[in-house]
Amino acid sequence: MRLVWRASCLSIGMAICGNAAAADYLVRDRDAFPAAVARAKAGDTIRLADGEWKDFSILFEGAGRPGKPITLTAQTKGKVLLTGASSLRLAGTHLVVSGLIFRDGHAPGDEVISFRRDSRHVATHSRITELVVDRYNQKDRRREDRWVSLYGADNRVDHSWFAGKGNAGVTLAVIRPKGQSQANRHRIDHNYFGPRPPLGSNGGETIRIGTSEESLSDSASIVEENIFDRCDGEVEIVSIKSGANIIRNNLILQSQGSIVLRHGNGNLVERNVFLGKGKPHTGGVRVINARQTVRDNYMEGLAGTDFASALAIMNGVPGSAINRYHPVSQALVARNSFIDVARITLGAGADAERTAPPTESRLQDNIVTGANGDAPFAVEAGMKGIAFANNATSATVPDTLPAGFSQRPVMLRRAANGLLYPTNPALAKLGAPRDLKPVSMADVGPVWYEKLVSDVAFGSGRQIAVEGEGLVAAVARAKDGDVLRLPAGRHAIDAPLSITAALTFSGPRDAEIIFSAATLFALGEGGRLRIEGLTIRGDRAPGQPGNAVVRSSGHSTIANYAVEMEGSYFSGLNGAPDFDLIATTAATFADHISLDRVTVSGLSGKILAAAAETGGKGLYAAERISITNSRFDQIGSLADIVRGGTDESTFGPELVVRGNEVMQSGPALLTLSGVQSTLIEKNSFRQGGAIAIAHSVGAPVTRIVANRLIATPEPKITRLYPQGRPQVTMADNISGEKL
Ligand code: CA
């Protein structure tokens, strides 16, 4: 057995140490690990030797004692890498695991780190600290797993690093199995929850505590002093589904979504700092259920509206089922600063089902200012059940709000802690307290692991002049951020160009790519594509259906991709049926797809085919889509976009179609189903086909404004479900046979 035993008191000899001394085992290979675990006693330490451990399923089981835990750690913190299908299970009591990195792999089962061996052996009084789980994703983004599952009670997760979860499933969950309603008292603190890109469906929460089934009992867990940095997975950043939890002193940075008190009663959200910096869909706190307290929080620059408002107090369902919406009662919202926020929504979600407004609640001593001086208040239900007192706002207060808001100028000055406070002494006791101290990056995660920076931007790399080597060779050596500059002349391409980095293809208009494969640009993992100023011709593509200029991967990719086309010319895309400009596939997801000043002459398929997702889980193809200032002549269709399902967990898809000219399309000009936000503005459609928009649940917004519809039918808007509150604007459109 290659197990090295070292006494911590080696200098006085092993024999003398006897049972009293803590042992320190260095384990050099997998086979030696179980013996070390079996031998370890309270106070002992097991170290994994530095290096890579592949496909290592760690079962760490033992009985430590208070103040004398059994510790599993790295020989050197940050030098032990768990890869492949590695995982960690803890079972027993008073166990500590530290210093390990999970990277370049994925969970072998449903969990990377689990505080249990199996359903009968959980961990209590145990801790993971200074662990890293870095982009440890399943190969298929739809495959669901969790990075950390907290079972048992009195466990702690601290100073750890979790970022880049790209597949479905909550990042860290407190699991409260059915029939096990006892308090958990877990503590989740000083962690770095780094970027989690939009998932494009439900299941992208960063933290969830409980599920609806056991939500009427208390978990009494604490989430404090963490940083949530760009946690954009879905509408819930933290989803509370149990009682008596405390969420305090966290910093939520530019994260789309909210802290949602989804199920369970008596939770406390206090002293958190939210900084949205105007990023869309950045939210604050959403209140549902009884006895929730939201106090002493600071929110600035939150651009979220509706459910993702800085404060959303929801309407409930009378006699609600456990998994729907219990009415708000006895809520206290006090001494919060809502600075430059887009929205405060009261009675949010009121509809035919959610008819019960808040009762016995108080909203007092808050400060509210609106973004861009706009009025942030939206009141969607009766407010008799909320007592408003001593709140100050510089914004217009709607008549639907009772007294309790004084409207007055609110001058603000930034204090030493970086936050804004009113200069007027009369307002000194309102809003968030002066002694807030936003958590700093240095306070969270392990000090030895760097925080994650943003995606590489288009054009941030080298400029590569495509000369004698040819385009294929240039693409092969290009790296993230590089720009491939094509010279004038013809570039014949006979096999798909595989794109696995953020690449820009740039040229003068007389640089012409003519391709003879079924796809010109094939996006793979990490691929992001920008085309500017080029001419692309498809005349030589195969005479079979289903060609595309750009196609997302046929296999699931984890990183969200992007496609940008600007000032480019496309032709000859009609020699075969169903020839698309951009074809998306199921199980890939685009952060954005944008076309600006693009000209397409002759295309038999769709400019954007984004309807490959067919399941009911609310999956869709792209978060933000914009088609602007472009000209399309004889095309099959502009776009076909589908988001299926009925849940309310995503912000997208969002579509902007503005300033385009379409001359002659097939029978379907634009087909949208389940799109959350649609703007069709200032277009000219001549001899176009049907514009069919089907609304799903939630609060979809559709605006069709100032278009010219020439020999083109009027848009048709329908509803797929009776729930939801679609907002439709159709104005200033002109239609006729000739204009
Ligand atoms: Ca959710």
Side-chain angles (χ1 to χ4, degrees):
M1 176 184 293
R2 279 165 289 174
L3 180 71
V4 180
W5 192 91
R6 299 185 306 185
S8 57
C9 46
L10 208 56
S11 57
I12 53 169
M14 290 193 286
I16 300 169
C17 288
N19 289 336
D24 197 325
Y25 304 98
L26 180 66
V27 175
R28 294 193 184 279
D29 67 52
R30 249 193 298 195
D31 297 338
F33 183 74
V37 171
R39 199 181 291 187
K41 295 188 172 47
D44 289 353
T45 299
I46 300 167
R47 290 175 202 279
L48 298 181
D50 291 351
E52 180 179 346
W53 297 69
K54 193 159 185 281
D55 301 333
F56 186 16
S57 293
I58 303 174
L59 173 59
F60 180 40
E61 202 167 11
R65 290 200 303 272
K68 280 197 148 191
I70 304 173
T71 301
L72 170 63
T73 189
Q75 184 181 8
T76 310
K77 279 178 181 172
K79 294 278 167 64
V80 171
L81 207 59
L82 292 148
T83 65
S86 296
S87 63
L88 166 66
R89 283 176 296 160
L90 299 86
T93 188
H94 295 285
L95 305 172
V96 175
V97 182
S98 67
L100 311 177
I101 299 172
F102 288 87
R103 202 169 63 199
D104 304 326
H106 58 87
D110 297 335
E111 297 155 332
V112 181
I113 299 168
S114 174
F115 281 72
R116 72 174 191 182
R117 187 182 92 189
D118 52 48
S119 60
R120 287 174 34 231
H121 301 86
V122 300
T124 59
H125 298 284
S126 293
R127 175 183 181 197
I128 60 173
T129 180
E130 293 188 272
L131 291 198
V132 171
V133 184
D134 182 353
R135 287 161 278 193
Y136 202 67
N137 292 313
Q138 301 290 343
K139 289 192 178 69
D140 190 319
R141 60 185 295 128
R142 294 166 296 187
R143 162 91 153 79
E144 193 169 330
D145 68 5
R146 292 183 291 265
W147 280 4
V148 181
S149 294
L150 276 159
Y151 295 92
D154 301 295
N155 296 314
R156 183 178 178 200
V157 177
D158 67 280
H159 293 92
S160 291
W161 191 109
F162 306 103
K165 191 170 199 299
N167 64 300
V170 58
T171 306
L172 182 154
V174 172
I175 312 283
R176 311 183 71 230
K178 197 169 177 163
Q180 297 178 31
S181 61
Q182 58 271 33
N184 309 107
R185 296 178 302 271
H186 299 310
R187 184 173 175 220
I188 300 156
D189 64 283
H190 296 93
N191 299 292
Y192 175 68
F193 293 100
R196 173 150 201 195
L199 179 63
S201 76
N202 190 13
E205 304 89 351
T206 295
I207 292 181
R208 175 168 55 71
I209 300 181
T211 51
S212 61
E213 282 174 334
E214 296 297 335
S215 62
L216 295 181
S217 57
D218 293 345
S219 174
S221 293
I222 297 175
V223 178
E224 63 182 350
E225 311 266 346
N226 301 285
I227 291 182
F228 297 88
D229 176 16
R230 291 164 282 165
C231 293
D232 300 337
E234 60 142 279
V235 297
E236 298 175 286
I237 302 167
V238 176
S239 178
I240 301 293
K241 297 187 171 180
S242 50
N245 300 291
I246 299 173
I247 297 94
R248 70 181 165 213
N249 290 335
N250 299 286
L251 174 63
I252 297 96
L253 276 177
Q254 292 188 289
S255 293
Q256 293 187 1
S258 309
I259 290 177
V260 181
L261 305 178
R262 184 67 187 82
H263 299 295
N265 305 315
N267 294 290
L268 171 62
V269 181
E270 65 172 357
R271 299 179 65 88
N272 299 286
V273 174
F274 297 74
L275 303 175
K277 303 193 178 178
K279 178 173 155 182
H281 310 303
T282 45
V285 181
R286 176 148 61 105
V287 179
I288 306 154
N289 308 294
R291 292 181 282 106
Q292 315 284 27
T293 300
V294 180
R295 67 183 182 206
D296 299 330
N297 297 286
Y298 179 91
M299 305 184 188
E300 183 186 342
L302 300 182
T305 58
D306 203 64
F307 285 9
S309 298
L311 173 69
I313 300 184
M314 283 193 72
N315 248 35
V317 178
S320 174
I322 192 75
N323 64 347
R324 290 301 293 160
Y325 291 84
H326 287 279
V328 171
S329 66
Q330 300 174 57
L332 174 67
V333 178
R335 293 185 309 277
N336 302 286
S337 292
F338 301 100
I339 308 294
D340 296 341
V341 300
R343 196 81 81 243
I344 303 257
T345 305
L346 304 173
D351 63 10
E353 183 201 17
R354 291 181 287 231
T355 58
T359 56
E360 297 178 70
S361 296
R362 296 186 65 76
L363 206 142
Q364 62 188 47
D365 304 323
N366 300 287
I367 293 177
V368 180
T369 73
N372 314 314
D374 295 341
F377 298 101
V379 181
E380 300 184 355
M383 286 293 111
K384 287 203 181 81
I386 301 182
F388 295 85
N390 208 24
N391 302 288
T393 182
S394 55
T396 308
V397 180
D399 299 339
T400 43
L401 273 188
F405 262 101
S406 67
Q407 195 193 341
R408 57 164 89 190
V410 178
M411 304 299 290
L412 301 162
R413 187 179 298 142
R414 219 167 272 285
N417 64 359
L419 310 181
L420 291 164
Y421 291 94
T423 53
N424 182 350
L427 302 178
K429 290 197 170 139
L430 306 188
R434 301 256 167 185
D435 65 348
L436 286 183
K437 262 200 270 175
V439 194
S440 77
M441 285 290 178
D443 298 332
V444 299
V447 291
W448 41 263
Y449 208 75
E450 273 189 51
K451 310 299 188 281
L452 212 58
V453 294
S454 330
D455 282 338
V456 172
F458 285 119
S460 61
R462 301 167 299 171
Q463 302 283 325
I464 298 177
V466 179
E467 301 287 354
E469 64 176 337
L471 187 53
V472 174
V475 170
R477 70 183 179 93
K479 298 208 163 48
D480 249 350
D482 286 354
V483 178
L484 296 140
R485 295 206 167 277
L486 279 74
R490 177 168 288 190
H491 304 264
I493 298 294
D494 57 11
L497 296 169
S498 171
I499 309 296
T500 55
L503 300 185
T504 301
F505 292 78
S506 176
R509 183 174 177 171
D510 50 5
E512 181 180 280
I513 298 179
I514 179 159
F515 68 103
S516 51
T519 301
L520 174 56
F521 296 104
L523 297 170
E525 186 66 62
R528 297 161 69 83
L529 173 67
R530 181 175 162 81
I531 297 168
E532 52 186 33
L534 278 172
T535 296
I536 293 177
R537 289 178 48 189
D539 319 66
R540 294 185 189 166
Q544 65 195 25
N547 297 327
V549 176
V550 179
R551 192 187 305 277
S552 73
S553 173
H555 304 288
S556 181
T557 53
I558 292 298
N560 293 347
Y561 69 95
V563 178
E564 298 180 2
M565 294 180 173
E566 197 177 296
S568 293
Y569 305 84
F570 299 86
S571 64
L573 310 175
N574 52 0
D578 301 323
F579 203 140
D580 295 330
L581 185 66
I582 301 170
T584 68
T585 52
T588 57
F589 187 72
D591 172 73
H592 66 276
I593 294 173
S594 65
L595 280 71
D596 187 55
R597 291 177 293 110
V598 163
T599 303
V600 179
S601 304
L603 170 97
S604 59
K606 303 172 178 83
I607 295 296
L608 174 65
E613 301 280 5
T614 52
K617 285 184 122 182
L619 293 162
Y620 53 100
E623 189 73 0
R624 287 173 291 127
I625 300 160
S626 72
I627 302 173
T628 54
N629 308 314
S630 294
R631 188 185 163 90
F632 305 105
D633 203 349
Q634 299 188 50
I635 59 169
S637 165
L638 200 51
D640 184 1
I641 303 170
V642 169
R643 174 202 183 268
T646 59
D647 74 60
E648 298 169 290
S649 305
T650 65
F651 293 111
E654 298 178 355
L655 173 68
V656 173
V657 177
R658 186 199 291 120
N660 303 290
E661 203 170 319
V662 178
M663 308 276 287
Q664 209 178 324
S665 83
L669 171 59
L670 192 57
T671 310
L672 310 178
S673 180
V675 174
Q676 300 281 306
S677 163
T678 304
L679 174 64
I680 302 171
E681 186 184 40
K682 295 182 180 164
N683 302 285
S684 167
F685 300 123
R686 188 181 294 269
Q687 290 181 291
I691 298 174
I693 299 171
H695 286 142
S696 184
V697 298
V701 178
T702 296
R703 285 172 292 159
I704 303 176
V705 180
N707 299 286
R708 288 157 60 88
L709 300 155
I710 306 147
T712 299
E714 293 282 321
K716 281 212 173 67
I717 300 178
T718 54
R719 289 178 73 175
L720 293 172
Y721 307 98
Q723 294 109 330
R725 293 154 292 129
Q727 299 166 47
V728 178
T729 309
M730 285 237 257
D732 305 328
N733 299 298
I734 307 171
S735 61
E737 283 308 301
K738 285 182 186 173
L739 290 175

